[in-house]
Amino acid sequence: MPGAIYAEGLVKTFGDVRALDGVDLDVPEGTVLGLLGPNGAGKTTAVRCLTTLLRPDSGRAVVAGVDVLGHPDAVRRSIGLSGQFAAVDEYLTGRENLQMVGQLYQMRAKQAKARAVELLEQFHLTDAADRPTKTYSGGMRRRLDLAAALVVSPPVMFMDEPTTGLDPRNRQQLWEVIKQLVSGGTTLLLTTQYLEEADHLAHDIAVVDHGKVIAQGTSDELKARTGGERVEVVVHEREHISTAAEVLGGFGKGDTTVEEHTRRLTVPVTGGAKLLAEVIRELDSRGIEIDDIALRRPTLDDVFLSLTGHVAEEKPEGNGEQGNKQGNKKNTRKETAK
Ligand SMILES: Nc1ncnc2c1ncn2[C@@H]1O[C@H](COP(=O)(O)OP(=O)(O)OP(=O)(O)O)[C@@H](O)[C@H]1O
Ligand SMILES: [Mg+2]
């Protein structure tokens, strides 16, 4: 049986650009799928197709048990969407924005008011509740937009880069809200450029590049595909490199690589910390002095790099200096929008 979000062979072209080039997805009910990919990979296009905002050229999608192309209205009633760019009415206050959404969903006025109060509290917007949203900062708009997506608790939620533009504290808070939501049974598809976010929230991760899902699995599975763990040793003396290589070779599950100028040796291993202790004892018994030794596990960054050939665009807490230009520009625009 297909999951709460299911897609088969989705294709969407814009002129010459194949934004989606045959995307298949299957998200079991009550789980979170993280769609991970660089700028222009097709993440937003996938979300828009699945949420009935865009009609794919071909392919099939079923959301909350309903055929997306056949019954878009029914799909819309079962889903919540928070888009990549916050969609709030500038001239209404935060409270009014939330109440309006409630009323659009046919809530009684009293119920809509009460729900707005709850959400304002949950998203730390109570103090700003009665100001027009055009006075909100980018992060506040983002939070209001997410709150709006949660006015009614839909069984299936889509969040397109929910925490882009949030500071680390607000990002953490939002992660907590998302976890609560999912523990209540909601199925969620979220797109993100923050590997840490996918690692933290997603049961399954689909890496998208050039409109295709190029890898899918749990964070651990994807990391294992990137070569698993390895021991890295920096020896103190250049003359010790060959003996150290011999020692590491005895423990390794593959070839030892040696970087002469940094005196760094790396070998793939299995066995974790216990093995690391044995390696240290053996090096010591051979009289090899070491400057540094570490057990390295691949990060999602390594996975991303090895799959797409480029590093992830942005870092959650980085200063953005080395981040992707486009990504940063996007942030700046959002944060300064007035
Ligand atoms: N309405 C459109 N008209 C023309 N091209 C489009 C349109 N929407 C998307 N595209 C193109 O389709 C491709 C995928 O875009 P999409 O917005 O889905 O990427 P994304 O993964 O969401 O990127 P980002 O991380 O920057 O949000 C890009 O090449 C983009 O330029
Ligand atoms: Mg996008």
Side-chain angles (χ1 to χ4, degrees):
M1 210 181 83
I5 303 170
Y6 176 81
E8 201 183 294
L10 285 186
V11 172
K12 179 72 196 176
T13 53
F14 297 103
D16 294 345
V17 179
R18 271 176 103 76
L20 297 181
D21 194 11
V23 166
D24 301 327
L25 295 171
D26 195 357
V27 189
E29 205 177 309
T31 69
V32 181
L33 176 76
L35 265 195
L36 203 66
N39 286 136
K43 304 180 295 296
T44 297
T45 306
V47 168
R48 299 189 68 207
C49 286
L50 292 167
T51 55
T52 77
L53 297 175
L54 206 59
R55 206 182 160 83
D57 302 345
S58 60
R60 202 167 81 86
V62 180
V63 170
V66 183
D67 187 272
V68 177
L69 292 172
H71 306 281
D73 289 338
V75 169
R76 276 179 220 138
R77 282 194 291 274
S78 315
I79 61 173
L81 166 66
S82 154
Q84 182 167 4
F85 301 101
V88 295
D89 187 319
E90 299 270 300
Y91 293 95
L92 297 182
T93 66
R95 190 190 306 280
E96 288 164 348
N97 261 291
L98 296 180
Q99 286 174 5
M100 185 185 73
V101 175
Q103 279 162 3
L104 287 177
Y105 278 98
Q106 254 90 92
M107 275 182 167
R108 313 260 293 268
K110 203 173 154 192
Q111 203 192 350
K113 272 188 180 159
R115 185 66 184 137
V117 170
E118 260 172 35
L119 287 165
L120 289 163
E121 189 71 30
Q122 198 176 6
F123 285 87
H124 306 277
L125 289 167
T126 305
D127 290 346
D130 298 309
R131 272 166 36 196
T133 52
K134 62 171 186 267
T135 68
Y136 282 22
S137 73
M140 289 163 80
R141 279 158 199 255
R142 181 107 289 249
R143 281 179 282 149
L144 184 66
D145 183 61
L146 285 161
L150 297 174
V151 168
V152 288
S153 311
V156 179
M157 283 280 308
F158 294 84
M159 298 183 180
D160 196 0
E161 301 201 20
T163 66
T164 298
L166 294 188
D167 63 31
R169 188 176 52 101
N170 276 314
R171 172 170 295 125
Q172 296 272 349
Q173 281 168 352
L174 186 76
W175 287 355
E176 290 314 309
V177 173
I178 292 176
K179 279 193 207 158
Q180 259 176 36
L181 196 72
V182 175
S183 68
T186 303
T187 307
L188 170 66
L189 183 151
L190 72 87
T191 78
T192 186
Q193 301 193 30
Y194 299 137
L195 305 176
E196 193 195 352
E197 182 159 292
D199 220 349
H200 207 80
L201 294 176
H203 299 97
D204 245 329
I205 295 171
V207 182
V208 192
D209 202 15
H210 301 297
K212 283 200 168 81
V213 176
I214 54 172
Q216 182 162 2
T218 63
S219 170
D220 284 340
E221 282 164 4
L222 292 178
K223 287 173 188 172
R225 281 181 48 172
T226 315
E229 47 182 27
R230 54 203 183 273
V231 167
E232 267 183 26
V233 180
V234 178
V235 297
H236 188 65
E237 308 273 355
R238 195 171 290 253
E239 300 81 82
H240 286 160
I241 289 177
S242 60
T243 325
E246 202 179 293
V247 171
L248 291 184
F251 289 102
K253 295 286 166 232
D255 294 341
T256 307
T257 50
V258 178
E259 234 179 65
E260 289 279 345
H261 65 291
T262 54
R263 305 182 310 281
R264 183 185 301 274
L265 298 96
T266 307
V267 67
V269 297
T270 51
K274 191 162 170 282
L275 181 106
L276 186 64
E278 287 172 31
V279 173
I280 293 172
R281 274 196 296 274
E282 182 66 18
L283 289 169
D284 191 49
S285 76
R286 301 259 203 129
I288 299 170
E289 197 183 333
I290 55 181
D291 284 346
D292 196 14
I293 183 162
L295 184 68
R296 283 259 293 150
R297 291 197 170 88
T299 63
L300 267 186
D301 281 282
D302 298 328
V303 174
F304 200 79
L305 182 62
S306 84
L307 287 172
T308 67
H310 37 94
V311 293
E313 322 300 300
E314 295 171 68
K315 291 283 191 183
E317 286 162 62
N319 55 18
E321 297 296 49
Q322 293 147 320
N324 170 286
K325 292 253 171 44
Q326 206 179 332
N328 289 333
K329 222 189 290 162
K330 203 168 59 188
N331 271 348
T332 315
R333 188 167 71 230
K334 249 184 280 178
E335 288 293 341
T336 54
K338 278 277 139 60

